Amino acid sequence: MNEQKIVEIDTVKIKKRLKQRKAKMKMSLSVCARCTLCADSCFLFNNNNKDPKYMPSYKFINSIGRIYKRRGKVDRAALEKIREIVWKDCVLCTRCYCPFGIDIPDMIAFARSICREQGVYPTFED
Amino acid sequence: MEILNLITSDLLYDLARGPLVWISFLILILGTIYRTVKLFSFTRKKKNAWPVSLPKKKAPDGDTDKSAPLIPKWKFTVFGAHPVMISVSTVFHVILFIAPIFLLAHNIMLDEAVGFSLCSFPEKVTDYMTIVFLVCGLFFLLRRIFIARVRAISSVYDYIIWCITVAPFLTGFLSYYQVFDYKTMIILHMLSGELMLAAAPFTKIFHMVFFFFGRFVLVTQHTIGKGSRTW
Amino acid sequence: MVKGQRKPIDEITGALEKYSNVLNIGCGGCVSVCLAGGQKEVNLLNAELESIYKQNNISKKIEGFTVERQCNMQYLDELDDIAGGYDCLMSMACGAGVQYLAEKFPGKPVFPAINTVAIGIDREIGIYEEKCRACGECVLGYTGGICPVTRCAKGLFNGPCGGTNKGKCEISNDISCAWQDIYERLKGQNRLDDILKIKEPMEWKNQTQRTIIQEPYMKRYT
């Protein structure tokens, strides 16, 4: 089984990753008008009593958005919180609708890949 | 008190109706061009990964197509899901653009400044537009405050942008009717308008460009038309 | 991922003919990704059906629900409180999902609303191409990453048949010969030895149902 190794979070590496895809990420985060029109396109949002934490925008703002806001300087606890958002609250069905055409699934996938690289991913054991 | 004195001072008045206007327009135009060019530079032309033209399938012998009902398409657009929000939003954005551009007072000033002006709506029309705009703005504000899903992703920044957008209309309306001190109000109107113009390219208001780019130019699941570029 | 396509509407209405209370169940997995059976398609199909029934004055209740994945019982359990009220279920998942759903509710008729077509890749948004037939004996390592089972009309393992025609397949000039492509690719990689060895014919295992137990979990189940 994959033992999740507790390793130091490499913020330099995260920063490097952020830089690689900065243009799309920064633009997406900056133009999001917080209009919440994406909400209904998420079936998890509809299945969970329209709980805002399942809104596509909420998920991308609070995952990759949070990492970017701190310029990659996040600790393990923060990444573990993000792990819950990007794996538990999102199945990456890639069907989010954004009136502006923000590619939300790609942003979530990006957050996943950063988490994975830092050894923070779901173990499917709990 | 001193702040009030400053606001009503002739210096600020002259500044706001003179150089600041041009500066804010310059920031708006150059900023928008800059960021739009950036958008294009961040993206590239999408190569078609499907060069073979799709075989045109003939409809099966049966009359499947005839029996297929016509469901109104809009029902499955965002308008079908949120008719009120989309209507309000459309009205809000249309007025946001056309009311200031075709306002008589603005055009008179434009004429005085450069000897050229656009046509204007009757003042009554722009008056009503402003009222409708403010009601729409209020709708957005109440939505942000009271609807859980909107509140969940709202921050101080969103309220600041709301203020920046609504303030020029509110102050313009109040100054036109000379509510409160006219001079203070007109200075506030000019300053807030200039702030909005200058802020547009560099804040989330830039969705004014990104909307067209993201929905018509970028190739995504929700592209209107074919799209041509990709990140 | 698994790729599917919606069945013709007539086939669906035909299947539902005898039932008046239908739950249409979408899947948030592969079929959602390939735009065939996610929440949006559930809503669209339901609206289409409702409008057909309205036109024909048929009274039927059709509702929708989308689960995370229909190939996992944990997610199907979400339907426990919901499915009871319907006299038949319709699934927009792949064949695996439909069967698992039917297994969970053995007393209820379950109808597929999509045809499961392939394991494939996303060529473009909305264009998917079959890449794998899940034969269970992957030979891609020696065929230069081009699958002779999927790509060759005859599923040949040791070079092209006599019908290969200037790089095209004998069944259509639009289809390139898989073995020609394999040859070209291996040649480019200097690996032509790979296809000189005779490859034994495959023991086709998809005649009976296959089950996989991943090695690390073997201990749990044996």
Side-chain angles (χ1 to χ4, degrees), chain C residues 52-203:
Chain C
I52 289 179
Y53 294 134
K54 208 174 160 190
Q55 264 176 21
N56 298 311
N57 276 325
I58 299 169
S59 116
K60 250 190 229 283
K61 194 175 94 183
I62 305 217
E63 262 154 26
F65 191 81
T66 303
V67 297
E68 200 160 326
R69 291 206 314 266
Q70 289 189 27
C71 54
N72 186 312
M73 199 45 86
Q74 182 192 336
Y75 304 121
L76 288 181
D77 284 344
E78 283 178 42
L79 295 165
D80 282 342
D81 304 333
I82 306 168
Y86 300 88
D87 52 14
C88 92
L89 306 176
M90 183 159 60
S91 167
M92 294 200 83
C94 69
V98 177
Q99 291 187 51
Y100 213 14
L101 183 71
E103 188 178 319
K104 177 166 176 66
F105 298 104
K108 274 193 202 307
V110 173
F111 298 104
I114 74 166
N115 290 321
T116 309
V117 179
I119 299 174
I121 50 103
D122 308 6
R123 209 30 108 181
E124 290 281 350
I125 293 161
I127 299 184
Y128 310 103
E129 193 175 86
E130 179 175 30
K131 284 291 180 203
C132 175
R133 292 256 165 97
C135 71
E137 290 277 355
C138 194
V139 294
L140 289 168
Y142 86 95
T143 57
I146 294 167
C147 175
V149 178
T150 314
R151 287 273 316 273
C152 171
K154 292 175 176 167
L156 294 180
F157 267 30
N158 293 288
C161 67
T164 180
N165 177 22
K166 291 181 191 135
K168 298 291 177 192
C169 176
E170 65 179 334
I171 65 166
S172 164
N173 265 338
D174 292 336
I175 300 169
S176 68
C177 172
W179 273 100
Q180 175 82 22
D181 292 351
I182 291 170
Y183 174 82
E184 298 290 349
R185 181 157 311 159
L186 289 176
K187 195 176 159 196
Q189 296 176 3
N190 260 330
R191 286 172 60 203
L192 283 177
D193 310 351
D194 280 10
I195 45 170
L196 290 176
K197 292 169 225 150
I198 301 286
K199 186 83 182 163
E200 295 283 305
M202 182 177 295
E203 284 178 47

Side-chain angles (χ1 to χ4, degrees), chain A residues 1 39-44 46-47 87-88 90-95 123-125, chain C residues 28-29 31-36 38-41 65-68 78 216-217 220:
Chain A
M1 223 126 312
D40 298 273
S41 68
C42 179
F43 72 92
L44 288 171
N46 288 323
N47 287 3
W87 271 288
K88 265 203 173 142
C90 172
V91 301
L92 228 55
C93 76
T94 69
R95 301 302 296 280
T123 53
F124 301 108
E125 294 292 289
Chain C
V31 291
S32 183
V33 174
C34 72
L35 320 178
Q39 177 184 253
K40 187 169 183 187
E41 289 72 34
F65 191 81
T66 303
V67 297
E68 200 160 326
E78 283 178 42
Y217 293 84
R220 274 196 205 182

Side-chain angles (χ1 to χ4, degrees), chain B residues 168-179:
Chain B
F169 288 81
L170 184 66
T171 51
F173 188 75
L174 293 179
S175 58
Y176 179 73
Y177 283 99
Q178 314 224 345
V179 185

Side-chain angles (χ1 to χ4, degrees), chain A residues 60-75:
Chain A
F60 103 94
I61 291 165
N62 286 292
S63 57
I64 197 70
R66 210 176 274 176
I67 298 173
Y68 179 64
K69 209 171 176 183
R70 299 193 200 149
R71 299 295 184 271
K73 287 197 184 101
V74 282
D75 55 9

